Amino acid sequence: MTELSTSVVLVLFGTVFLASAVEMVEALTIVVAVGITKGWRSAFEGVAVALMALAALVAVFGPALSRIPMSSLRIVVGTVLLIFGMQWWRKAILRSIGVKAKHDEDAIFAETVEQLQQSPSGTRDAAAFVMAFKGVFLEGVEVVVTVITLGSSAHRLGVAAAAAGTAVVLVAIVGLVVARQLSNVPENAMKMVVGIMMVAYGTFWIGEGIGLHWPGKDLALFVFALIYGLLTWLVVLSLTPRQPSMAVTS
Amino acid sequence: MKFVRGFGKFLFEFFIGDTPELFVLGVAVLAIASALLQFLNAQALVIVLLPLMVFGGVLGSVLLERRRKSR
């Protein structure tokens, strides 16, 4: 088993924290839209049931993963992180160069409100419950995958869970205080960092899993993140369309 | 049965979605790196090739989407 240094554990905490915060901002936008439009009772019930379903997922898959031999686990987890991280990374690059529209929390909020206004109101609103449940569960599954994969492969499931928990609580508190969607969060930048870190972890764990000896051991993680980050910067710089020059008129 | 089908669809969307090339890339990277290490014991080559394949694949996927959108 590779003994991870404190700095790597901190990076693990940071990666899981950022990934969870990004997902929770998305979930919070939907929950706030549901709460404001249809009342908080159905919204909170949807959130509570979604959290229970997510806890059940962790309870089932967490212990199961710990029974898999470490090298096989790292290959599986590395591949999952690689595929998952590449999706985030690609999407963030496409948004940065203007090929894909940036994730718009305001638009999601407006769309959710519009959908809910079409359903009849009542003390218990099924549409509101389902929307809050789906918002939290679907975004939460990504958090669970991040926590389980990163945490178990590094033998730091507790650290990963604590990072996710901190992010969830922090986003929830901020959400309650401002009582609206968090549209000013630099989501694309966060997603870019998380995508790069996930791919760095994926590359590292796949190598470890197949018996590769990385030079500098776990420092290779930082090197990957640095190289991937630098290459991303170059790609974004060269692929971003230049603004057409303004015609000067007299 | 409906639940299993729904779960399968969810997993498909989760890991493959609209970027099947990234799924294939992830599996290919693992297969190529394992083969090089297993049959040729090419440690140094895999150390260089593994991150290169990953970045090259993502860049290829970005360029593919950019071309698709510009049509």
Side-chain angles (χ1 to χ4, degrees):
Chain A
M1 177 193 141
T2 309
E3 201 53 55
L4 296 177
S5 62
T6 315
S7 51
V8 175
V9 174
L10 283 175
V11 171
L12 171 78
F13 186 94
T15 307
V16 176
F17 178 86
L18 273 183
S20 309
V22 168
E23 296 307 329
M24 282 307 107
V25 166
E26 292 178 24
L28 181 75
T29 302
I30 296 169
V31 173
V32 171
V34 171
I36 287 175
T37 322
K38 292 284 177 178
W40 291 98
R41 184 177 172 166
S42 301
F44 284 140
E45 283 173 352
V47 171
V49 176
L51 288 178
M52 280 192 274
L54 288 170
L57 267 184
V58 176
V60 170
F61 289 107
L65 277 179
S66 62
R67 293 203 186 109
I68 301 174
M70 200 32 112
S71 59
S72 311
L73 179 69
R74 284 184 171 163
I75 290 175
V76 173
V77 161
T79 312
V80 169
L81 279 174
L82 200 64
I83 294 168
F84 203 43
M86 285 192 299
Q87 290 174 355
W88 280 44
W89 191 12
R90 172 188 179 271
K91 206 177 273 179
I93 293 176
L94 288 171
R95 281 174 177 159
S96 294
I97 62 174
V99 172
K100 217 173 168 71
K102 287 215 166 123
H103 203 268
D104 189 347
E105 303 297 340
D106 289 326
I108 293 171
F109 185 84
E111 194 187 318
T112 310
V113 169
E114 197 186 317
Q115 279 177 25
L116 285 169
Q117 276 169 343
Q118 288 161 6
S119 70
S121 288
T123 348
R124 265 209 167 76
D125 194 306
F129 172 85
V130 169
M131 204 159 266
F133 172 81
K134 270 175 75 179
V136 175
F137 184 74
L138 293 179
E139 304 301 341
V141 167
E142 296 196 30
V143 174
V144 168
V145 169
T146 312
V147 169
I148 289 180
T149 52
L150 282 174
S152 61
S153 56
H155 260 295
R156 294 287 189 282
L157 203 55
V159 174
T166 311
V168 170
V169 171
L170 209 70
V171 171
I173 290 172
V174 173
L176 283 174
V177 170
V178 299
R180 61 184 291 276
Q181 74 280 17
L182 304 171
S183 55
N184 292 329
V185 172
E187 201 193 325
N188 202 49
M190 284 164 78
K191 219 158 191 160
M192 182 85 86
V193 172
V194 174
I196 288 172
M197 285 315 299
M198 278 182 174
V199 172
Y201 270 105
T203 312
F204 183 77
W205 290 138
I206 284 181
E208 291 264 303
I210 60 174
L212 200 64
H213 303 293
W214 292 114
K217 294 187 176 159
D218 48 4
L219 273 180
L221 252 177
F222 294 101
V223 177
F224 289 143
L226 207 72
I227 292 173
Y228 288 150
L230 198 69
L231 289 171
T232 304
W233 178 69
L234 288 174
V235 167
V236 170
L237 210 66
S238 56
L239 294 183
T240 304
R242 280 168 186 80
Q243 295 282 337
S245 54
M246 299 275 285
V248 182
T249 49
S250 55
Chain B
M1 195 61 200
K2 197 181 164 191
F3 173 77
V4 176
R5 206 176 300 147
F7 189 64
K9 197 179 164 207
F10 171 73
L11 284 181
F12 180 86
E13 282 299 317
F14 202 71
F15 287 110
I16 300 172
D18 55 355
T19 49
E21 71 272 18
L22 293 183
F23 180 80
V24 173
L25 176 71
V27 178
V29 162
L30 172 65
I32 293 169
S34 304
L36 284 173
L37 213 58
Q38 197 74 30
F39 300 117
L40 302 175
N41 196 24
Q43 285 265 345
L45 178 66
V46 177
I47 285 170
V48 177
L49 205 61
L50 211 156
L52 265 181
M53 284 191 291
V54 170
F55 178 73
V58 173
L59 181 62
S61 179
V62 166
L63 293 175
L64 201 72
E65 182 67 14
R66 188 169 169 250
R67 206 175 62 181
R68 217 180 283 154
K69 283 278 162 80
S70 67
R71 271 183 200 155

